[in-house]
Amino acid sequence: MAMILIENLVKRFGAFAAVDGIGFAVERGTVLGFLGPNGAGKSTTMKMITGFLPPTSGRVRVCGHDVQAEPLAVKRRIGYLPEGAPTYPDMTPLAFLEFVARVRGLKGRAAIDRAVGRTDLGAVLHQPIDTLSKGYRRRVGLAQAILHDPDVLILDEPTDGLDPNQKHEVRRLIRAMAADKAIILSTHILEEVEAVCTRALIIGRGKVLAEGAPDGASWRFGDLEAPPGGLDALFRRVTLGEAV
Amino acid sequence: MTGNFVGTGAIFRRELAAYFATPVAYVFIVGFLLLAGVSTFYVGGLLERGQADLRPFFQSHPWLYVVLMPAVAMRLWAEERRAGTIELLLTLPVDLGAVVVGKFLAAWAFTAVALALTAPVWLTVNALGHPDNGVALAGYVGSLLMAGGYLAVCGALSALTRNQVVAFVLGVVACLLLTVAGSPIVLDAVAGWAPRALIDAVAGFSVLTRFAAIMDGVIDLRDVVFFASLIALALFANALVVDLRKGVG
């Protein structure tokens, strides 16, 4: 059974269709990359999967639960890192994680200790979040998303603004969790797709433009093939119609 | 249902802690106590009037709250929207209603703390004479109910914007209208043309009139129902506004 099942999803803001008939399924063990220019509809799709925005039409099912009919059942099974990893700046990471744990009904410190260990936050647990570096703040957001060991992870630009070492660490963490979860992440960094994803969708103007997966050392999107490191040319060709 | 209740408790604790995490809480409390003190002892003449009661203290409350309750409630939703944390909050497994109630109760509890710190006024009156402490208690209960009504209205207005200053100004205007609805300024403007029933309805919304009765020591069930209904209606509107505007930046 698909952990995430999206059917003909549409979101209109007035006359503008931010998401215009997107559909796909994600199985356990998959890391699905959302690629696309800014404004393509990646974040809006994620906001509908996590139950933040209601779709104009279409359906989202997570672990068999319809997000419109059973929003709480869906929200319990999803860990979500919104774009920019928003957190409460006046709290410490520990207080913030304790708050999320209480809302999620998690008892004791085990879940917090595990998430803190995985995101390596131990050194800054008692410092207010607004005094932390961007990398640490991103990790606080990640710790919040994996706190309840969810089956489904939705990560909106998880490595945006991080330095190369921090990017490497976050990708390592995602790979380590991939085996028993269904993960969707959005990114502008095409090498990230090669580094962590097992499938990818190129999204533009609210539609799925191409769907791809690794094929040996290359990536194959339908008839198009990208050799290692050649994803950016393929991306331009699909999103702008340029010749490779 | 238990899950929802746990959510409300956690949100209440976080919001209350957030007040005290910055100097805002202390500035607010000191400001409230100073203003309450000035209006009680200088404007109200508590010591000069030769009566052992708290009327000069309580009669300033509706006016203090017009400015102070918007200050307490303005960040409740505007700040979540500005910082983007609203997306985090509303994708946690809690009903929107539980979040709205948790936030409101935190603002109300914070106000109750500030109000409790005015106890020295009550102690002063007890030291100087023999006030009717039943009337004093009624005053405190009524003042807290009135604060709750203002806070709920200002919380709903805070959900309209991502700018705390806008939320504050909207709150002051709304609280002022609620306060003076029964005063001659408003009633005279309506009296010339409106039918009797409408005039009574507008006057019935006046917090000032209702609070005046409570200051005399009479807690009428109708007044309690009025404030409870005002709070419930505003919280409902709050949830509606959050739901309708969450997609708007």
Side-chain angles (χ1 to χ4, degrees):
Chain A
M1 183 192 74
M3 304 273 280
I4 307 168
L5 185 65
I6 314 275
E7 290 170 344
N8 204 16
L9 198 61
V10 176
K11 181 68 185 180
R12 272 187 245 283
F13 296 105
F16 172 68
V19 174
D20 194 6
I22 283 182
F24 58 86
V26 186
E27 315 283 336
R28 194 185 288 274
T30 300
V31 180
L32 177 68
F34 273 11
L35 304 174
N38 288 323
K42 304 186 298 289
S43 290
T44 306
T45 303
M46 289 182 157
K47 286 176 213 251
M48 287 191 279
I49 298 172
T50 53
F52 180 66
L53 288 182
T56 305
S57 66
R59 217 158 65 129
V60 174
R61 290 177 78 83
V62 175
C63 304
H65 299 279
D66 186 293
V67 71
Q68 292 288 94
E70 301 171 89
L72 296 189
V74 168
K75 288 170 182 179
R76 270 191 280 272
R77 285 164 177 81
I78 291 185
Y80 178 36
L81 178 72
E83 191 174 1
T87 47
Y88 295 105
D90 49 0
M91 298 178 100
T92 65
L94 181 62
F96 177 62
L97 294 175
E98 281 172 347
F99 162 67
V100 176
R102 264 196 295 272
V103 173
R104 289 197 175 275
L106 304 171
K107 303 272 188 289
R109 275 292 296 269
I112 293 176
D113 289 341
R114 194 177 42 85
V116 166
R118 284 190 128 171
T119 51
D120 204 11
L121 279 172
V124 297
L125 270 189
H126 302 284
Q127 294 179 28
I129 291 173
D130 61 359
T131 66
L132 299 181
S133 70
K134 205 167 178 182
Y136 270 123
R137 276 186 239 176
R138 188 59 47 108
R139 280 192 257 169
V140 173
L142 269 172
Q144 163 278 127
I146 64 173
L147 191 61
H148 53 302
D149 196 18
D151 286 330
V152 172
L153 269 178
I154 310 287
L155 309 173
D156 200 348
E157 300 190 0
T159 62
D160 181 47
L162 300 186
D163 70 36
N165 294 337
Q166 294 165 337
K167 281 189 175 123
H168 179 76
E169 280 305 304
V170 169
R171 287 173 196 162
R172 194 183 52 78
L173 174 65
I174 292 170
R175 274 198 305 269
M177 295 186 302
D180 62 341
K181 298 187 194 307
I183 302 178
I184 300 180
L185 63 87
S186 68
T187 181
H188 288 300
I189 308 159
L190 297 169
E191 61 175 67
E192 190 153 292
V193 175
E194 293 173 304
V196 293
C197 295
T198 61
R199 269 174 68 205
L201 299 177
I202 297 178
I203 296 173
R205 299 178 301 278
K207 294 180 194 300
V208 175
L209 300 179
E211 178 170 359
D215 180 10
S218 337
W219 272 71
R220 176 167 289 285
F221 284 79
D223 302 334
L224 301 173
E225 190 175 331
L231 265 179
D232 48 349
L234 188 146
F235 178 80
R236 279 197 301 278
R237 169 151 181 187
V238 170
T239 54
L240 301 172
E242 278 181 21
V244 178
Chain B
M1 285 306 285
T2 39
N4 297 353
F5 179 73
V6 168
T8 299
I11 283 152
F12 171 80
R13 284 175 65 171
R14 198 207 78 74
E15 290 290 335
L16 194 56
Y19 279 112
F20 292 99
T22 60
V24 173
Y26 305 99
V27 170
F28 174 86
I29 287 175
V30 169
F32 174 65
L33 296 179
L34 272 177
L35 288 173
V38 166
S39 53
T40 304
F41 292 101
Y42 292 95
V43 182
L46 180 87
L47 300 177
E48 290 80 12
R49 59 201 286 273
Q51 284 181 36
D53 68 18
L54 284 166
R55 177 169 280 275
F57 169 63
F58 285 122
Q59 70 188 8
S60 67
H61 283 198
W63 303 105
L64 288 181
Y65 290 173
V66 163
V67 180
L68 293 176
M69 293 305 106
V72 173
M74 65 184 185
R75 49 161 277 285
L76 282 181
W77 290 97
E79 183 59 16
E80 300 269 5
R81 294 187 49 182
R82 192 195 59 76
T85 43
I86 190 167
E87 202 170 329
L88 188 90
L89 190 62
L90 298 185
T91 51
L92 290 171
V94 245
D95 276 332
L96 177 55
V99 181
V100 170
V101 170
K103 278 177 172 283
F104 164 73
L105 289 179
W108 208 10
F110 173 71
T111 306
V113 169
L115 193 58
L117 290 173
T118 63
V121 177
W122 171 73
L123 291 172
T124 303
V125 172
N126 268 278
L128 295 175
H130 301 281
D132 184 338
N133 279 320
V135 174
L137 181 66
Y140 270 108
V141 170
S143 178
L144 198 56
L145 271 175
M146 179 170 62
Y150 286 177
L151 283 173
V153 169
C154 294
L157 293 170
S158 166
L160 280 172
T161 169
R162 46 189 291 155
N163 184 324
Q164 291 196 41
V165 176
V166 173
F168 175 77
V169 173
L170 289 176
V172 170
V173 171
C175 289
L176 192 62
L177 286 177
L178 270 178
T179 306
V180 300
S183 73
I185 312 167
V186 175
L187 289 187
D188 288 352
V190 181
W193 51 273
R196 182 83 211 156
L198 182 66
I199 299 170
D200 289 344
V202 171
F205 262 97
S206 173
V207 169
L208 214 52
T209 321
R210 292 182 185 276
F211 188 61
I214 294 175
M215 271 192 298
D216 291 332
V218 186
I219 296 191
D220 192 318
L221 183 63
R222 279 173 303 181
D223 295 329
V224 176
V225 169
F226 168 78
F227 285 116
S229 314
L230 179 64
I231 291 170
L233 191 71
L235 293 183
F236 180 73
N238 190 336
L240 210 61
V241 172
V242 171
D243 200 39
L244 289 174
R245 290 189 64 85
K246 63 188 176 184
V248 189

